[in-house]
Amino acid sequence: MAAAAAGGAGAAAALWSEVNRCGQNGDFARALKSVNKILQISKDDVTALQCKVVCLIQNGSFKEALSVINTHTKVLSSDVIAFEKAYCEYRLNRIENALKTIQSASQQTDKLKELYGQVLYRLERYDDCLAAYRDLIRNSQDEYEEERKTNLSAVVAAQSTWERVMPENLGLREATYELCYNNACALIGQGKLNEAVKKLQKAEGKIVDVTEEDIEAELAIIHGQMAYIMQLQGRTEDALQLYNQIIKLKPTDVGLLAVIANNIITINKDQNVFDSKKKVKLTNAEGVEHKLSKKQLQAIEFNKALLAMYTNQAEQCRKLSASLQSQSPEHLLPVLIQAAQLCREKQHTKAIGLLQDFAEQHPSNAAEIKLTMAQLKIAQGSVTKACMILRSIEELQHKPGMVSALVTMYSHEEDIDSAIEVFTQAIQWYQQFQPESPVHLSLIREAANFKLKHGRKKEAISDLEELWKQNPKDVHTLAQLISAYSLVDPEKAKVLSKHLPSSDTMSLKVDVDALENSHGATYVRKKAGKLTGDNQQKEQGVLTPISLPGTNCSVGKLPKNYDPKVTPDPERWLPMRERSYYRGRKKGKKKDQVGKGTQGSTTAGSSELDASRTASSPPTSPRPGSAAAVSAASNVIPPRHQKPAGAPATKKKQQQKKKKGGKGGW
């Protein structure tokens, strides 16, 4: 027995030496074989079990490693194997379980803190993650400091992008391309696109000391972000070209491919649907859900639903939007997509009912929904109902844009009282909350102008008095106020007119020549020219009057053969054919010439044979304002390109051919 025990101990020692040597060489597969032999000798050896778990993790067998841990819970306590267990759960995308394992550990080692930061990042708890990495950087000194700073910059970029938080300057030196890239992402979140491009170009130049395959992978990510910036800047053609170049390289990062495919679909919109259908497959690749954030995944699902709507897959669209609504009940887009699909099916009433139900269930998020409802009502021609919906949005009632829209719509419906009421409510809100706001005075002025325009001068007086009170030097407002009082209280108008400046104090810069030569002038100054005789008097600034109908203020130009001794013809103003002595034109004396002309010619005049001259033939082009002109407006040919039948040019060519002596039948 003693000899056998000694032999087993010697074998175990040899196996441990083999495990140690393989571990140092990185040959974990061979080390695992030796560990298994040790466990055959001693199945509950804690060290051997730990080594087995490590070997399995190094070989990527996370499920098997976790199975070993869960099978030997009595031996492998949570304190002994906490990091390995949490890491396996993290790699298997069981993030919540990993968080519980870390938090249940009695001793928080640096390795657990490092993993804790990664878990918080995956859970998108960016504030806690930022605090964890700051603590790690502050309290640790090892060769992993650069990696921690990279992770810290990634957290800041995520906050800027997804939470719209203005990042603080952490003073991180851009020593690596990862840090440059993360800083560029943070700048994109702030809307500083030009600065972000410079950071990405800097990151592109810092990719060194890596394999060619890794260079291509990192460049693909950087170029994908550059294309995204182009898309945000409206350079969609350049962005699309760069996106397609990245796809042709066939990168292995499924997350990158999914994002690029989604962005191409957003560029295509309802065009190039066949290409969008192909790109959707890239967003469905295995593992995409673990590579992207929740907001990225949600955006992809929204775009899938919209694509289904554009491709007339109504049932698929409803299914996707309903799924999105169940995941995020308070989100607006799923309901808007469903309403849009119903409108495409001409079910406007049902769409409005769907939006109304959502607005009642989620009043805090109802503003955009009610705006959509109002738009649908306007499309149906129910402008008054649209106004009622818009006025129910309390948080927007005082906004200048809302006031403008409501006043315009009420004016269209000729409901002036309601339009004035909208002005009154908005002005009262600013009087109570923002009396010094420039918007307040602007609304008062617009209200006064609106009331004056529609003859409500009595109602406009209070607004004009308020404006004049704010700016007593405003002559225009004072003039409007006097005009309004002149119809209501003439005595008050006289009193106020005393505040008008005198004509002497008003400097009116008027160009007299331009005024006289304008279209509205009654008299026009003649241009300077050679003056002789009687015309010299007119040169002294005398204006030539224009005679009115029935007057004879000036003598017109006389004909060359004018004889003052001869009495002018009293009927000279009438057309020749209306004069009493008109006898008509004399008919030609030539008789019909038989046998002359081309073959088949007749004695009838050409006007009798010209179909275009008959009374029943239609005009060659529709007259302006006719129904034919309106219906054919989109396809009408420009006048200079038209060649109507029977054009004079065609007849002229035919006559020239006849003169040359050519013969031919019709």
Side-chain angles (χ1 to χ4, degrees):
M1 294 288 294
L15 289 170
W16 277 116
S17 298
E18 180 70 9
V19 170
N20 186 43
R21 184 176 60 81
C22 292
Q24 291 177 353
N25 296 333
D27 190 356
F28 294 101
R30 192 169 180 178
L32 182 59
K33 293 179 181 179
S34 300
V35 169
N36 286 331
K37 292 178 180 179
I38 294 172
L39 289 172
Q40 289 176 358
I41 299 172
S42 178
K43 64 178 182 179
D44 291 331
D45 190 322
V46 176
T47 306
L49 288 170
Q50 282 183 294
C51 289
K52 183 175 182 177
V53 170
V54 171
C55 290
L56 289 170
I57 291 173
Q58 292 290 348
N59 291 331
S61 302
F62 303 109
K63 283 186 178 180
E64 192 175 347
L66 192 59
S67 177
V68 172
I69 295 171
N70 293 331
T71 305
H72 299 82
T73 53
K74 292 182 179 180
V75 180
L76 299 175
S77 61
S78 58
D79 290 336
V80 174
I81 205 75
F83 173 77
E84 287 79 5
K85 182 181 180 182
Y87 184 77
C88 289
E89 291 169 337
Y90 172 79
R91 293 301 301 270
L92 292 170
N93 296 306
R94 303 173 187 176
I95 310 301
E96 294 288 349
N97 293 341
L99 180 64
K100 291 178 181 178
T101 302
I102 294 170
Q103 291 175 338
S104 63
S106 59
Q107 185 178 1
Q108 295 294 320
T109 62
D110 288 344
K111 292 193 300 183
L112 277 173
K113 290 180 181 179
E114 200 88 43
L115 184 58
Y116 180 60
Q118 295 279 11
V119 168
L120 292 174
Y121 184 83
R122 287 286 301 277
L123 291 173
E124 300 182 19
R125 292 170 52 179
Y126 299 122
D127 291 337
D128 296 336
C129 184
L130 190 66
Y133 278 118
R134 277 179 164 172
D135 179 64
L136 276 169
I137 293 172
R138 190 183 302 113
N139 299 318
S140 61
Q141 293 180 350
D142 52 29
E143 66 273 18
Y144 298 110
E145 184 178 359
E146 203 67 43
E147 284 80 356
R148 295 189 185 101
K149 289 182 179 179
T150 301
N151 291 343
L152 183 63
S153 65
V155 177
V156 172
Q159 283 183 315
S160 176
T161 304
W162 308 122
E163 297 181 350
R164 302 299 179 188
V165 175
M166 182 63 67
E168 57 181 299
N169 186 6
L170 300 175
L172 300 175
R173 190 170 56 89
E174 297 173 349
T176 63
Y177 71 89
E178 291 97 341
L179 282 166
C180 292
Y181 175 82
N182 289 339
N183 288 344
C185 293
L187 290 170
I188 293 173
Q190 300 172 55
K192 301 178 181 179
L193 303 181
N194 292 329
E195 294 181 36
V197 170
K198 294 178 181 178
K199 294 290 183 184
L200 291 172
Q201 291 171 345
K202 185 177 179 180
E204 196 175 7
K206 284 185 172 293
I207 301 178
V208 292
D209 299 330
V210 292
T211 63
E212 185 176 350
E213 184 178 347
D214 290 339
I215 289 176
E216 289 183 357
E218 298 298 336
L219 284 177
I221 296 174
I222 293 173
H223 291 164
Q225 203 70 299
M226 285 182 173
Y228 174 63
I229 293 175
M230 293 176 186
Q231 187 175 351
L232 292 178
Q233 292 174 333
R235 299 162 54 193
T236 53
E237 292 297 327
D238 296 335
L240 191 60
Q241 184 179 0
L242 190 51
Y243 283 142
N244 286 320
Q245 287 177 2
I246 297 170
I247 289 177
K248 287 179 182 178
L249 295 174
K250 297 181 179 179
T252 57
D253 189 342
V254 293
L256 173 64
L257 284 173
V259 170
I260 290 176
N262 174 77
N263 292 353
I264 290 175
I265 292 171
T266 61
I267 292 175
N268 290 338
K269 294 183 180 178
D270 56 346
Q271 305 296 322
N272 202 0
V273 176
F274 180 73
D275 178 63
S276 295
K277 279 190 171 183
K278 290 197 301 182
K279 296 298 187 291
V280 166
K281 296 178 182 178
L282 295 175
T283 65
N284 296 328
E286 185 180 357
V288 168
E289 66 275 12
H290 305 307
K291 290 284 187 178
L292 304 179
S293 68
K294 291 179 182 177
K295 290 192 176 181
Q296 286 175 311
L297 293 171
Q298 194 177 58
I300 290 174
E301 292 301 313
F302 286 143
N303 290 328
K304 286 180 183 177
L306 288 171
L307 182 60
M309 183 180 70
Y310 289 142
T311 54
N312 297 320
Q313 295 176 291
E315 194 59 37
Q316 178 72 2
C317 177
R318 278 191 284 268
K319 183 178 178 181
L320 288 170
S321 56
S323 174
L324 287 166
Q325 190 175 7
S326 63
Q327 295 172 14
S328 304
E330 296 185 0
H331 207 289
L332 301 174
L333 277 179
V335 181
L336 293 175
I337 293 172
Q338 292 179 53
Q341 179 60 46
L342 289 170
C343 290
R344 288 173 71 91
E345 298 171 3
K346 308 299 182 184
Q347 301 184 44
H348 294 86
T349 305
K350 194 172 181 180
I352 293 173
L354 179 68
L355 295 172
Q356 180 67 37
D357 291 342
F358 181 87
E360 292 175 357
Q361 294 172 7
H362 307 282
S364 59
N365 297 331
E368 292 185 37
I369 292 294
K370 289 184 177 180
L371 290 173
T372 306
M373 290 169 60
Q375 184 178 358
L376 292 177
K377 286 292 184 183
I378 293 172
Q380 291 180 308
S382 303
V383 179
T384 304
K385 291 183 179 179
C387 291
M388 292 173 61
I389 294 172
L390 292 177
R391 294 184 71 173
S392 68
I393 310 175
E394 296 182 1
E395 62 268 31
L396 298 180
Q397 282 186 5
H398 63 281
K399 298 291 184 182
M402 180 63 77
V403 174
S404 175
L406 285 170
V407 169
T408 302
M409 292 162 68
Y410 276 128
S411 299
H412 179 270
E413 295 295 293
E414 299 182 359
D415 189 353
I416 307 304
D417 292 332
S418 296
I420 293 174
E421 185 181 354
V422 169
F423 271 123
T424 304
Q425 289 178 353
I427 292 170
Q428 288 175 352
W429 187 93
Y430 278 98
Q431 284 177 344
Q432 183 177 359
F433 298 103
Q434 297 180 14
E436 303 298 327
S437 171
V439 179
H440 183 204
L441 293 178
S442 177
L443 283 172
I444 295 175
R445 182 171 297 281
E446 291 299 324
N449 291 336
F450 182 82
K451 293 171 184 176
L452 291 173
K453 179 182 176 182
H454 292 86
R456 307 290 184 91
K457 293 190 175 183
K458 188 174 181 179
E459 298 177 33
I461 287 175
S462 60
D463 296 329
L464 292 171
E465 285 182 337
E466 178 66 24
L467 288 172
W468 190 49
K469 181 181 178 182
Q470 295 291 334
N471 186 8
K473 296 181 180 180
D474 189 350
V475 180
H476 176 70
T477 302
L478 178 59
Q480 286 181 313
L481 184 58
I482 293 170
S483 175
Y485 265 121
S486 64
L487 297 177
V488 180
D489 189 352
E491 294 299 325
K492 182 70 173 179
K494 289 181 181 179
V495 173
L496 289 174
S497 62
K498 296 179 181 179
H499 296 280
L500 288 171
S502 63
S503 58
D504 298 334
T505 59
M506 297 175 66
S507 59
L508 300 176
K509 298 180 181 179
V510 180
D511 188 342
V512 178
D513 293 332
L515 182 62
E516 289 177 347
N517 293 319
S518 65
H519 295 293
T522 305
Y523 300 99
V524 179
R525 186 192 298 274
K526 281 191 173 181
K527 294 182 179 179
K530 294 183 179 180
L531 303 176
T532 57
D534 297 338
N535 292 332
Q536 285 183 343
Q537 294 179 354
K538 297 180 180 179
E539 194 269 342
Q540 305 298 326
V542 180
L543 300 178
T544 303
I546 299 174
S547 62
L548 298 174
T551 64
N552 191 16
C553 297
S554 63
V555 179
K557 187 177 181 181
L558 298 174
K560 293 181 180 180
N561 58 353
Y562 173 70
D563 187 356
K565 297 179 181 180
V566 179
T567 304
D569 183 4
E571 297 183 8
R572 64 186 182 277
W573 306 114
L574 298 175
M576 182 62 73
R577 62 179 177 276
E578 295 180 11
R579 298 180 190 180
S580 60
Y581 49 81
Y582 179 69
R583 295 292 180 267
R585 294 183 180 181
K586 295 182 179 181
K587 296 182 180 179
K589 296 180 180 180
K590 293 184 180 181
K591 297 181 179 179
D592 297 339
Q593 300 178 3
V594 182
K596 293 185 179 181
T598 58
Q599 285 183 342
S601 64
T602 64
T603 59
S606 61
S607 61
E608 296 176 7
L609 300 175
D610 191 352
S612 65
R613 294 179 182 271
T614 61
S616 60
S617 60
T620 57
S621 62
R623 294 182 179 180
S626 65
V630 175
S631 62
S634 59
N635 298 321
V636 72
I637 302 172
R640 60 179 178 276
H641 293 162
Q642 290 180 347
K643 296 182 180 179
T650 308
K651 292 182 181 179
K652 189 174 181 181
K653 289 182 180 179
Q654 291 175 355
Q655 292 172 3
Q656 289 176 353
K657 289 181 180 178
K658 290 180 182 179
K659 288 180 181 180
K660 289 182 180 179
K663 293 183 178 181
W666 282 19

